[in-house]
Amino acid sequence: MSENATQEKFGNWLEPAAPGMFGLSMGALIISGIGLIFTLLCLMKSLFLPALVILLITIAVVLLGLVKWFGQTIFTRVTDKTSLMLRRSRGETFYVTGSLSTLPHEHLERLPGALLNVDTVSGKDGLGRPYSLLHHKSVHQIAAVFGCSPDGSAMQEQGVVNSQVAHFGAWVSSLSVEDGLSGATIVVDSASESSAGTCAAIRDAVSPTAPEFAKQVLDAAVGTLPARTSVLNVYSTMVWDVEALGGSGDDISSPVAEIASRLPGHTQLLDAAGAGAPKPLVEAELSHVAQLAYQPGLDQELALDALQGRQAEQKWAHAGPGFFDDSRGRVVFHDGVASMTLMMTIPPGAHITAKSFDRLFGPNSKFLRKRVAIIYRPVDGGAAAKTVDRLAKTADWRMSTRKGRPTSFDAARKAVAVKTEGELAQGARLAMFSVMVTVTFSPDEKSYRDALNQVKSLMNTLIMPYRFVEHAGSAAFHTTLPFGVLPWKYSSKPLWMEGVL
């Protein structure tokens, strides 16, 4: 029966928005209305110059600060550039570790940015498995990272894939009802790594008593292997608020115990969703992930050391890069390589299947390393109902205020909102999500052009609008790492204001 199963299609994305008119958001309409009222009041009193000044100020505020051009307002672009210039002048864009660093002694080799003030807490869960949680002290959160080993849709029947997708949806839905959970991420980390470790392992496995001819044949066969092999790792990270689990800034024993008791449950959910045999990562594995993110070329050295039994377990406090430079804007430099990050601005414009993201997730020879991070922000049931109701009303508003007949896109938005409202009434859950992609390449012009063209090609196949992170490269780079950095925890802008503006 599974052979006759068809690929499930997914879509019905809802983009949070407030009612608007003439292409202006609600905030822009309010500012325009207030400015127009004051302008008319001045004209009624024959105050022509003040009226002109108010009108010009209103136009400037709306056009520069509230109307988005290519995904950003002009005011945001200016403030971002100004912020980068100020950070560069203060020396905050160049991070150096080791003996030449000006950091405090306890931070000499730590990870930079939002991960500077993060410690590990280790123990064993209910299944007796060791784990290491990441305690984000600055935002009072704790993250658990699972290492996953999915088989991939190409190796399974379509019916099995459909079942796993349904279970993955159940896992995402469970995020909205779990106490204290702030967010979750799925990170797909792919690389084209050296095959030296594999070749050496094959040669070392040859019996000393094997015939000389057999040794020569095997050695010749190993010599035909490609210099690099494709590697793909998947990580699932869940982040909880310390206070919501009964902890405080100084005492996290209660939240740690509670999270440890929940790890087996999440293991089962992820396993059913096709994650293979997920297991919590320990400190040495977390450090290994960080090392390879900063130094992709380190894979060969680590593989050979592990083969020869000389691998030393790296501590989290010493997993930082030798240097990290984000003074250039879009491209950041770290330990002899370069990286850039882009982010989704609008969900995919078409329905997708379980295989739509295969090219984006898979290894690519144009990159030394590539990370695709899907960030989930759970929405509780009450807020979800209000959000969908507001979106349905917004769709009605746009259809009634549009000049001319409503388009098929307007009708589709209304249908999606109504359908989602019905699904919520039947027990479905709502989760906000975003996609970020970080690619690492050699620090030269040709590699940059190749990486740029390739990542644009990958994104365009998904019909998913995006933009590059131009002035916060370090923050974007570390957000795509599977260490539980949730962007909204570092923003002072309330969620409701996003829709209004």
Side-chain angles (χ1 to χ4, degrees):
M1 294 179 63
S2 58
E3 292 180 356
N4 298 323
T6 58
Q7 290 192 54
E8 297 285 351
K9 293 184 178 181
F10 308 93
N12 297 338
W13 320 111
L14 287 170
E15 182 184 2
M21 190 181 296
F22 310 120
L24 299 177
S25 65
M26 179 62 73
L29 287 175
I30 293 175
I31 297 297
S32 300
I34 294 175
L36 184 60
I37 290 174
F38 278 102
T39 299
L40 292 176
L41 290 175
C42 290
L43 290 176
M44 291 173 61
K45 296 184 179 182
S46 300
L47 300 174
F48 300 107
L49 183 59
L52 179 61
V53 171
I54 293 175
L55 182 61
L56 292 176
I57 292 176
T58 301
I59 293 174
V61 170
V62 172
L63 292 181
L64 300 181
L66 296 174
V67 176
K68 292 185 177 181
W69 307 89
F70 304 103
Q72 279 186 306
T73 65
I74 296 177
F75 178 76
T76 300
R77 294 177 187 273
V78 172
T79 54
D80 285 347
K81 290 183 178 180
T82 303
S83 174
L84 179 61
M85 292 174 57
L86 293 176
R87 289 195 302 114
R88 188 186 297 133
S89 65
R90 294 193 297 263
E92 297 176 357
T93 58
F94 195 75
Y95 180 87
V96 181
T97 62
S99 57
L100 299 179
S101 174
T102 58
L103 294 169
H105 182 267
E106 63 274 13
H107 293 163
L108 279 182
E109 295 180 332
R110 281 184 170 270
L111 280 69
L115 297 172
L116 178 65
N117 198 21
V118 174
D119 288 332
T120 58
V121 181
S122 300
K124 290 188 177 181
D125 65 5
L127 299 178
R129 301 174 303 178
Y131 66 80
S132 291
L133 304 179
L134 295 176
H135 181 204
H136 295 248
K137 295 181 179 180
S138 59
V139 290
H140 308 294
Q141 291 187 317
I142 296 178
V145 185
F146 285 89
C148 306
S149 53
D151 292 329
S153 59
M155 301 178 63
Q156 302 180 77
E157 296 181 351
Q158 189 59 49
V160 176
V161 173
N162 292 345
S163 175
Q164 291 177 346
V165 171
H167 282 94
F168 181 78
W171 175 74
V172 174
S173 178
S174 71
L175 302 178
S176 299
V177 296
E178 180 160 344
D179 293 337
L181 190 72
S182 182
T185 66
I186 298 292
V187 176
V188 182
D189 186 5
S190 60
S192 177
E193 296 187 345
S194 170
S195 61
T198 303
C199 295
I202 295 175
R203 290 190 173 103
D204 287 351
V206 177
S207 173
T209 60
E212 188 63 31
F213 177 72
K215 293 181 180 179
Q216 293 177 1
V217 172
L218 181 62
D219 189 67
V222 171
T224 63
L225 293 176
R228 305 193 71 81
T229 58
S230 297
V231 177
L232 189 144
N233 298 301
V234 180
Y235 306 98
S236 175
T237 305
M238 278 142 282
V239 186
W240 291 267
D241 287 322
V242 170
E243 287 83 357
L245 296 181
S248 62
D250 299 326
D251 182 14
I252 60 170
S253 56
S254 178
V256 168
E258 177 64 24
I259 293 172
S261 68
R262 298 182 183 183
L263 295 182
H266 281 287
T267 298
Q268 293 179 351
L269 290 174
L270 290 170
D271 186 23
K279 68 179 186 67
L281 297 189
V282 296
E283 182 176 2
E285 294 169 323
L286 294 170
S287 301
H288 181 75
V289 173
Q291 281 184 300
L292 292 185
Y294 294 121
Q295 303 180 59
L298 201 62
D299 60 335
Q300 180 177 357
E301 179 182 342
L302 294 177
L304 293 176
D305 285 348
L307 183 66
Q308 298 170 6
R310 293 187 289 121
Q311 185 178 22
E313 290 192 357
Q314 184 79 357
K315 296 294 184 181
W316 174 260
H318 304 288
F323 76 93
F324 198 99
D325 180 13
D326 71 337
S327 62
R328 311 291 183 85
R330 174 186 297 187
V331 180
V332 298
F333 298 88
H334 48 92
D335 290 354
V337 295
S339 297
M340 58 183 171
T341 302
L342 58 85
M343 61 175 64
M344 175 193 81
T345 56
I346 299 176
H351 284 77
I352 65 171
T353 68
K355 297 182 179 181
S356 297
F357 281 72
D358 281 358
R359 286 191 63 208
L360 182 63
F361 287 155
N364 194 297
S365 60
K366 297 295 183 181
F367 313 124
L368 298 177
R369 205 161 197 95
K370 171 170 58 65
R371 290 191 306 279
V372 181
I374 306 176
I375 306 170
Y376 294 98
R377 184 176 185 177
V379 181
D380 65 79
K386 293 178 181 178
T387 299
V388 175
D389 179 64
R390 184 168 60 250
L391 291 173
K393 293 178 179 178
T394 299
D396 281 332
W397 169 267
R398 288 181 174 177
M399 293 181 69
S400 61
T401 57
R402 175 178 288 276
K403 185 178 181 180
R405 70 174 184 84
T407 66
S408 299
F409 294 103
D410 296 323
R413 292 191 190 97
K414 173 66 182 298
V416 169
V418 172
K419 180 182 177 182
T420 305
E421 200 169 25
E423 291 174 347
L424 287 178
Q426 296 177 5
R429 296 293 176 179
L430 192 67
M432 303 179 72
F433 80 98
S434 185
V435 177
M436 299 180 69
V437 181
T438 296
V439 295
T440 302
F441 47 92
S442 298
D444 57 78
E445 189 64 28
K446 182 181 183 302
S447 298
Y448 168 71
R449 289 196 305 268
D450 290 343
L452 182 65
N453 293 332
Q454 188 64 40
V455 75
K456 285 183 176 181
S457 174
L458 294 175
M459 296 300 292
N460 290 336
T461 57
L462 295 171
I463 319 178
M464 185 166 61
Y466 63 91
R467 67 180 178 87
F468 287 92
V469 178
E470 301 286 357
H471 307 295
S474 176
F477 180 93
H478 293 99
T479 298
T480 60
L481 289 171
F483 299 146
V485 177
L486 303 179
W488 58 89
K489 286 296 180 179
Y490 299 85
S491 173
S492 58
K493 183 185 294 185
L495 182 60
W496 62 267
M497 189 177 292
E498 295 285 350
V500 173
L501 298 180

